[in-house]
Amino acid sequence: MTTRRAVVTGASSGIGEAAVRALRATGWDVVAVARRADRLARLEASTGAVAYAADLTDAADVEALAEFARQSGPVHAVVNVAGGARGTDHVADARSEDWQWMFDVNVLSAQRLVAALLPQLRAAATDGGHADLLFVTSTAAQTAYAGGGGYNAAKAGEAMLAHALRLELNGEPIRVVEIAPGMVHTPEFTLNRLGGDSTAAEKVYEGVEAPLTADDVADVIAYALNAPGHVNLDLVTMRPVAQSAQHLLARGPLRPRTAG
């Protein structure tokens, strides 16, 4: 049996890096994609994944990635983790450049990736029974919040891309999976969103007992891809127990209420 191979984007840190490690641990070959070649080189050395540096906002880079993947082996799964948030401004105060960046890295990059690699997924499904497109979005795609309008819109756009793909690929053995995490303790994501303010970044998680980790999300990614080929996890929404909803977050120890 041919070893299954995945292309994982956003692989230089956070959920993307954890997904590479989780898939390698369950027997996958992995092409780890991100902009930062130095971090990818370390990941390659520690996991045996194949590092490929690319900027997914650059159409030429995406085409080059697709050609590299085509020449080096089949592609059974594409795991799109790359994305990001910039700023917490209210809609009326937001910088259009920040919103443009968020739309580009979360939505347009995903569309470029699908367009470039879908032919290879179809070829792999012909030989291997099925293939997978998996998108890591966010609970921000489901519920708006003040100061999140740009990220809400971008992640909702990525989620709609996945939903449309599932309809467009109906009748083909290609699963389309969406994983939508809530609060995940990935300091680099928050630090970038808050313009490098480390104090403000840590306050986001202050007092929250056991927020999700990148490894938690990666475990679900690996589960979805390793599930039997006829099983599709359309949408998995995952949050820490302390976060009952996008707007309802417990800060402080979790403990049962006393009777009476």
Side-chain angles (χ1 to χ4, degrees):
M1 182 179 293
T2 302
T3 300
R4 296 180 72 78
R5 188 168 75 136
V7 173
V8 179
T9 71
S12 62
S13 66
I15 295 170
E17 179 183 349
V20 171
R21 295 185 185 279
L23 290 175
R24 289 293 295 143
T26 55
W28 286 72
D29 287 341
V30 178
V31 178
V33 180
R35 290 177 293 106
R36 293 176 290 189
D38 56 338
R39 292 197 178 197
L40 289 178
R42 291 194 291 272
L43 184 62
E44 182 177 63
S46 64
T47 65
V50 175
Y52 189 92
D55 179 352
L56 300 183
T57 67
D58 185 322
D61 271 18
V62 175
E63 288 303 319
L65 167 63
E67 181 60 18
F68 170 81
R70 187 187 66 79
Q71 291 187 5
S72 55
V75 176
H76 300 92
V78 173
V79 180
N80 189 60
V81 185
R86 184 173 286 178
T88 57
D89 297 322
H90 285 199
V91 173
D93 303 318
R95 289 161 32 96
S96 59
E97 311 94 274
D98 291 342
W99 285 44
Q100 180 66 56
W101 180 86
M102 285 187 279
F103 195 81
D104 202 11
V105 301
N106 291 288
V107 183
L108 296 180
S109 293
Q111 186 277 327
R112 292 185 191 99
L113 195 68
V114 171
L117 292 177
L118 183 56
Q120 295 179 55
L121 291 170
R122 284 179 165 140
T126 298
D127 294 334
H130 73 278
D132 295 284
L133 281 160
L134 187 148
F135 301 86
V136 176
T137 61
S138 169
T139 54
Q142 303 170 3
T143 305
Y145 56 93
Y151 188 56
N152 290 140
K155 280 303 184 185
E158 184 183 0
M160 286 298 112
L161 181 152
H163 297 176
L165 266 173
R166 194 175 298 115
L167 301 177
E168 293 164 1
L169 297 175
N170 179 250
E172 300 189 55
I174 300 177
R175 304 185 294 190
V176 180
V177 179
E178 179 188 355
I179 310 295
M183 175 177 274
V184 184
H185 194 283
T186 47
E188 185 174 280
F189 171 89
T190 307
L191 193 64
N192 289 338
R193 182 175 196 175
L194 298 177
D197 186 337
S198 58
T199 300
E202 280 308 311
K203 281 188 176 299
V204 171
Y205 308 103
E206 194 173 83
V208 179
E209 183 175 320
L212 296 179
T213 67
D215 287 338
D216 293 330
V217 182
D219 284 346
V220 176
I221 291 170
Y223 178 86
L225 295 186
N226 288 318
H230 68 284
V231 177
N232 194 91
L233 302 184
D234 284 21
L235 169 62
V236 178
T237 300
M238 53 186 301
R239 295 187 177 94
V241 173
Q243 187 182 35
S244 300
Q246 194 75 2
H247 65 284
L248 186 57
L249 182 66
R251 296 187 186 271
L254 300 177
R255 58 184 182 274
R257 294 186 179 93
T258 56

